[in-house]
Each structure stands twice: as structure tokens, then as C-alpha cells.
């Protein structure tokens, strides 16, 4: 369903009228294309306080392909290294660094603040570093014009190159619908990548629920990044599934993910093992709890959570998930904020968040595998097209970018998690929601 309001505000009369009425002004977002793979302008690298990672950060920023220019008058990206800010007074340097430049940033720009994990031993450092979270989330809400702001925490002792894949993602058109997020990196060293334009070359990825919607888009983006993709969906969706597979040179696997032998059939379809496992299949069966039969509750928990747990466990223990593997599950902002009529769905999606946070560190230690989740907000798909008009419009506008996201926005986040270079990204839940006010 097209967002007519977004088109209307892009016309001169629409802009005039909506400004006069004080209505939201969504800026069209620039997403990745072959012709526009990078942000349109230079990058400003600023520092607040003393930093121990200046050189390492400069090296990571050089891999973004953007020109780093200390005098850039109209930067597309601004990176502020605030890892050394360790007191309330030190926060003045954050203000001093960004206050003079924030207004001059190009539309659709990116601000990335680099922080350190808040310390358990030094409450002054912890206060200052936690302050950056409130700062970035507020900045994301006020900068407008399709720009975004994030906080990336880099721990002491991070491996060389650990932050590169994350900075490349955040400082590119691929993260167009991600804002107000906090990403905590680990010290794990990135796995080597031969070709940054096709980082998944030689890897096999399986995407569940890939016949349509977000899953089909995830499959496309992983194939674009070089992976051989196995697309899985229920046998009823076989026609759409085969169409998706044919388009991508992928393998179609018609299979209900709740089947008791699902993991065994996935393993049989991937004789050389899996490098990327994307749990995207999901259903809703909405009713208020008072009216919800046990069957509707069970269906949602089974597809959205139990099958994710079961197949992940079995594919890990059978060794089907190769070392350096990536598991990406799909949560939802409903799993963070809760939603009327969705006790079952929100429980299942909150469960996915619990799974990711608990299993991530252990999967890395035991199998060299990372486990992360995307938490989409309002994404324009068949699922959201079925939402009643008023709620749909509220979903589209109640975020910092005043519009819904597209399936490709979720897909790009999944592809970032899936990269070999993203070994230091583990146990994270990335909201792809334009900084929705729900659960903020
Ligand atoms: P969709 O309904 O368009 O697609 C879901 C796909 O999963 C369908 O092709 C369906 O056949 C498949 N599927 C369902 N049950 C299955 C099963 N048992 N085995 C195998 N495949 C099965 O949904 P979508 O909007 O593309 O959503 C994809 C994921 O993103 C879901 O997990 C959903 O909960 C989540 N999500 C979506 C939004 C949104 O705004 N669209 C927001 C938050 C989270």
C-alpha cells in the first residue's frame, strides 16, 4: 500500500500545506543502489576528550569509502569519538564538538557517536557514557531531513578492524531506516573478507518465510552480497517461493518450519553446512487475551519462537552451522513495547530477544557463531497493509523519520549481521523502525 502522504509532502503544494498545519515532514530516504552505494559527501571525524582509539578509528573510517575531511563545510557523515569522556564535565566537549556542525550536515546525513561501555567500577565514567545514550536518542529525534544518529560502544581491547563492518553499515545508505540505536561491540576479531562488495561469496544462507515480504527481500540482499541462498516457506506458498528462488538463482525448500524434522531437512538441503541462518518466518493471530483461544496462542509461539529455538539448537549441535556462522532472528518493536491484541505475538518476539541475548555469547564461545536480532517497526508489507487505516497511518508517522520502512531496510540490517566482518556484533537487537516512539 503506497504512502500517499509521503508523496504529497514531496510536492510544492503538499509541502506548503503540511508546513502551515505543522504536520510531519517525511524526507524521502536515499537507499543503497548500485549507482549510489555511498553517502553523498565527506565525513567529519571529531574527538571529545582523550581517545585511545584515534588511529584505529581513522583506519576503520577509511574503509567506508568516504573522504575524511576535517574542514568539510557540508558533511554527509559526522563521527564523534567520545570514548574518552569519563565525567559529567567532560560532556561539555560533546556539546562543543557537535553544536557548531550539526546544522550544516547534508540531508540524509549520518551522525555516529563512538562511546565506551559504561564501567561497573567507575560510576562517573558510567554516568558520562550512559549520558551519550540519551544524547544520541534525542539527537535522532530532532535532526530531521532524513538524517539519523547512533551510538556505537567499542570496548577496551577491541580487535583491530572489529568496528569496520558496523561503521560501513551505519555510514551508508544501507542504514536509511535505522536511528537512535545503541550497538555494543565485543572484542572478537573480524573474519577475513576477500571482496567487500560481495562479502558473502562462497557462503550458504538459509532464510525462512522467504516467499514474500521481508524474507524475500532478505534473500535478495544476501544473494546480492554473494551468498548462495536457500529460501524456505510453507508448501502452500510454493509458487511464490519458486518465483523468488528463480529470480535469485536460489534453492527453494518448501517446508513448514514447525515440522518436527525441519532441522534435519534443512541440514539435508545444505550438505556443506550453513553459514547464515535467518529466522524470518512469522505470523500474527491477534485477539485480546480474554478472547484468545489456546490454539491461537500456541500457533504464534510455535512459529515465531519455539521453532526458532528448536532449529537453532539442532543446527548448532549437529554442526550444520559452520564456524564463523551467523544466526539472525526476527523480533519486533511489539516485543519491546507490547501491543493491544498481541499478547501472543509480543510474547513470542520478546522471547526472541531473550534467546539472542542469552545464546549470543555462548554460541560465540562454543561454535564461533554470532546470534543477533532485528526488531522491525512499521514496515510496508502485506502484513501491515492489512492493518486498519488509522492505525496504519499512526504507525507510519510515529517515528523520527515520519514514514514506514521498506523490507529492504530490514534486509540490509540482516546482511550487516551476516557479514564475516561482523564477528564483534553479537547478542544485539537492532531496531529497524526509524526510531519509533513505541517502546522508545
Ligand atoms: P509476511 O506475512 O509478508 O511473510 C511471512 C512469511 O513467513 C510468509 O511467506 C509465510 O508463508 C511464512 N511463514 C509463516 N509461517 C511459516 C511456517 N510455519 N514455516 C515457514 N514459513 C512460514 O510477513 P512480513 O511482514 O514479511 O514479516 C516477516 C517477519 O518480520 C515476521 O517474523 C514478522 O513478525 C516480522 N515483523 C514484521 C513487521 C512489519 O511491519 N511487516 C514488523 C515487525 C516484525
Amino acid at each position: 500500500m503506497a504512502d500517499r502522504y509521503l508523496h504529497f509532502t514531496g510536492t510544492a503544494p503538499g509541502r506548503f500545506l503540511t508546513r502551515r498545519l505543522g504536520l510531519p515532514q517525511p524526507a524521502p530516504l536515499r537507499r543503497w543502489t548500485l549507482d549510489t552505494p555511498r553517502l553523498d559527501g565527506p565525513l567529519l571525524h571529531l574527538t571529545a576528550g582523550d581517545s585511545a582509539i584515534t588511529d584505529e578509528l581513522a583506519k576503520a573510517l577509511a574503509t567506508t569509502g568516504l573522504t575524511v575531511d576535517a574542514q568539510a563545510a557540508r558533511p554527509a557523515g559526522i563521527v564523534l569519538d567520545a570514548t574518552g569522556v569519563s565525567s559529567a564535565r567532560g560532556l561539555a566537549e560533546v556539546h562543543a564538538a557537535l553544536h557548531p556542525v550539526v546544522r550544516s550536515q547534508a540531508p540524509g546525513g549520518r551522525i555516529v557517536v563512538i562511546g565506551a561501555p559504561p564501567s561497573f567500577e567507575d560510576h562517573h565514567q558510567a554516568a558520562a557514557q550512559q549520558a551519550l545514550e540519551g544524547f544520541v536518542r534525542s539527537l535522532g529525534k530532532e535532526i530531521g531531513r532524513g538524517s539519523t544518529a547512533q551510538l556505537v560502544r567499542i570496548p577496551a581491547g577491541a580487535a583491530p578492524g572489529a568496528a569496520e563492518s558496523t561503521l560501513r553499515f551505519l555510514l551508508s545508505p544501507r542504514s536509511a531506516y535505522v536511528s537512535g540505536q545503541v550497538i555494543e561491540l565485543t572484542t572478537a576479531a573480524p573474519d577475513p573478507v576477500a571482496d567487500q562488495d560481495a562479502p558473502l561469496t562462497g557462503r550458504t544462507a538459509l532464510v525462512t518465510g522467504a516467499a514474500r515480504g521481508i524474507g524475500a527481500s532478505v534473500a535478495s540482499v544476501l544473494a546480492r552480497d554473494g551468498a548462495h541462498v536457500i529460501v524456505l516457506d510453507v508448501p502452500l506458498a510454493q509458487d511464490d517461493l519458486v518465483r523468488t528462488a528463480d529470480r535469485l538463482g536460489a534453492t527453494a525448500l518448501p517446508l513448514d518450519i514447525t515440522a518436527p524434522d525441519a532441522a534435519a531437512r534443512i541440514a539435508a538441503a545444505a550438505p556443506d553446512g550453513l553459514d547464515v541462518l535467518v529466522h524470518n518466518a512469522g505470523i500474527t493471530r491477534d485477539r485480546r487475551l480474554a478472547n484468545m483461544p489456546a490454539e491461537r496462542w500456541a500457533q504464534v509461539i510455535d512459529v515465531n519462537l519455539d521453532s526458532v529455538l528448536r532449529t537453532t539448537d539442532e543446527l548448532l549441535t549437529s554442526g550444520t552451522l559452520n564456524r564463523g556462522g551467523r544466526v539472525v532472528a526476527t523480533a519486533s518493536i511489539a516485543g519491546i513495547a507490547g501491543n493491544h491484541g498481541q499478547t501472543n505475538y509480543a510474547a513470542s518476539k520478546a522471547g526472541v530477544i531473550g534467546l539472542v541475548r542469552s545464546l549470543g555469547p555462548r554460541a560465540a564461545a562454543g561454535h564461533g557463531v554470532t546470534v543477533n536480532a532485528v526488531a522491525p517497526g512499521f514496515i510496508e508489507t502485506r502484513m501491515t497493509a492489512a492493518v486498519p487505516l488509522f492505525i496504519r497511518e499512526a504507525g507510519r508517522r510515529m517515528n523520527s523519520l515520519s514514514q514506514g520502512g521498506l523490507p529492504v531496510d530490514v534486509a540490509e540490517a540482516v546482511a550487516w549481521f551476516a557479514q564475516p566482518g561482523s564477528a564483534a556484533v553479537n547478542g544485539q537487537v537492532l531496531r529497524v523502525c526509524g526510531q519509533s516512539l513505541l517502546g522508545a
Side-chain angles (χ1 to χ4, degrees):
M1 177 93 30
D3 183 347
R4 295 213 176 89
Y5 182 82
L6 177 63
H7 292 291
F8 181 58
T9 53
T11 64
R15 214 165 14 246
F16 174 78
L17 193 68
T18 50
R19 274 207 185 123
R20 289 293 291 262
L21 293 173
L23 293 171
Q25 301 288 316
L29 303 183
R30 217 177 115 232
R31 295 175 166 93
W32 182 94
T33 67
L34 208 49
D35 295 332
T36 56
R38 282 185 249 292
L39 296 181
D40 195 13
L43 183 66
L44 201 55
H45 175 181
L46 307 169
T47 307
D50 297 327
S51 168
I53 63 162
T54 307
D55 293 345
E56 179 58 26
L57 186 56
K59 265 193 235 158
L61 294 178
T63 72
T64 61
L66 299 174
T67 309
V68 183
D69 178 356
Q71 310 301 325
R74 208 164 164 69
I78 301 175
V79 172
L80 173 67
D81 179 357
T83 48
V85 175
S86 56
S87 69
R89 287 198 169 185
L91 289 167
E93 294 195 40
V94 173
H95 173 267
L98 286 177
H99 167 73
V101 294
V102 72
R103 207 192 298 267
S104 60
Q105 197 180 30
R110 303 280 186 270
I111 296 180
V112 177
V113 175
I114 310 291
S119 161
F120 288 106
E121 283 87 41
D122 177 354
H123 54 287
H124 287 263
Q125 187 273 4
Q129 287 297 324
Q130 192 66 32
L132 296 177
E133 193 168 319
F135 171 77
V136 161
R137 292 203 208 275
S138 299
L139 198 54
K141 290 186 177 182
E142 67 184 38
I143 40 180
R145 299 190 304 164
S147 295
T148 64
Q150 339 279 348
L151 173 63
V152 178
R153 291 190 175 131
I154 302 183
E164 285 179 11
S165 77
T166 299
L167 291 170
R168 272 200 302 275
F169 170 62
L170 294 178
L171 292 166
S172 82
R174 295 172 198 239
S175 57
Y177 199 60
V178 177
S179 194
Q181 296 304 290
V182 180
I183 296 159
E184 310 228 4
L185 300 181
T186 72
T187 54
D191 297 327
V193 181
D195 178 358
Q196 286 301 354
D197 291 329
L200 297 176
T201 302
R203 306 210 164 210
T204 302
L206 179 120
V207 184
T208 70
R212 65 178 205 201
I214 294 172
S217 190
V218 170
S220 301
V221 171
L222 297 181
R224 175 202 71 188
D225 283 357
H228 172 67
V229 184
I230 302 171
V231 287
L232 179 155
D233 211 299
V234 287
L236 258 181
Q238 180 150 2
D239 289 352
D240 283 345
L241 187 66
V242 168
R243 255 194 298 277
T244 304
D246 288 349
R247 187 165 51 81
L248 303 176
T251 305
L253 180 57
L255 172 65
D256 186 327
I257 197 64
T258 63
D261 61 347
R265 291 192 45 200
I266 290 171
D272 297 328
L274 277 181
D275 303 292
V276 181
L277 169 62
V278 184
H279 296 289
N280 164 81
I283 58 168
T284 51
R285 296 286 182 271
D286 298 356
R287 284 278 165 86
R288 284 189 293 160
L289 182 63
N291 303 328
M292 188 183 296
E295 182 202 352
R296 285 175 90 90
W297 174 273
Q299 283 171 339
V300 168
I301 298 291
D302 200 14
V303 176
N304 297 4
L305 180 59
D306 211 9
S307 72
V308 176
L309 286 158
R310 270 197 317 269
T311 48
T312 304
D313 285 353
E314 287 182 38
L315 294 170
L316 263 179
T317 47
S318 67
T320 305
L321 265 165
N322 295 330
R323 275 203 90 76
R326 307 276 181 256
V327 178
V328 186
T330 308
S332 163
I333 56 168
I336 298 168
N339 210 7
H340 181 105
Q342 291 199 318
T343 52
N344 51 356
Y345 182 76
S348 71
K349 296 300 189 179
V352 163
I353 295 174
L355 150 72
V356 159
R357 291 194 177 140
S358 168
L359 182 60
R362 280 180 293 118
H367 304 271
V369 166
T370 64
V371 187
N372 293 287
V374 282
F378 185 97
I379 305 296
E380 305 279 357
T381 64
R382 254 200 254 179
M383 197 186 242
T384 47
V387 170
L389 178 70
F390 181 74
I391 302 177
R392 190 164 67 227
E393 267 309 294
R396 280 177 174 148
R397 294 322 141 207
M398 282 171 58
N399 60 71
S400 298
L401 298 169
S402 303
Q403 59 197 286
L406 300 182
V408 71
D409 297 324
V410 182
E412 294 284 13
V414 171
W416 159 62
F417 283 136
Q419 286 208 13
S422 294
V425 185
N426 194 14
Q428 301 297 295
V429 178
L430 186 84
R431 292 172 51 148
V432 183
C433 66
Q435 200 180 19
S436 169
L437 297 179
L438 298 179

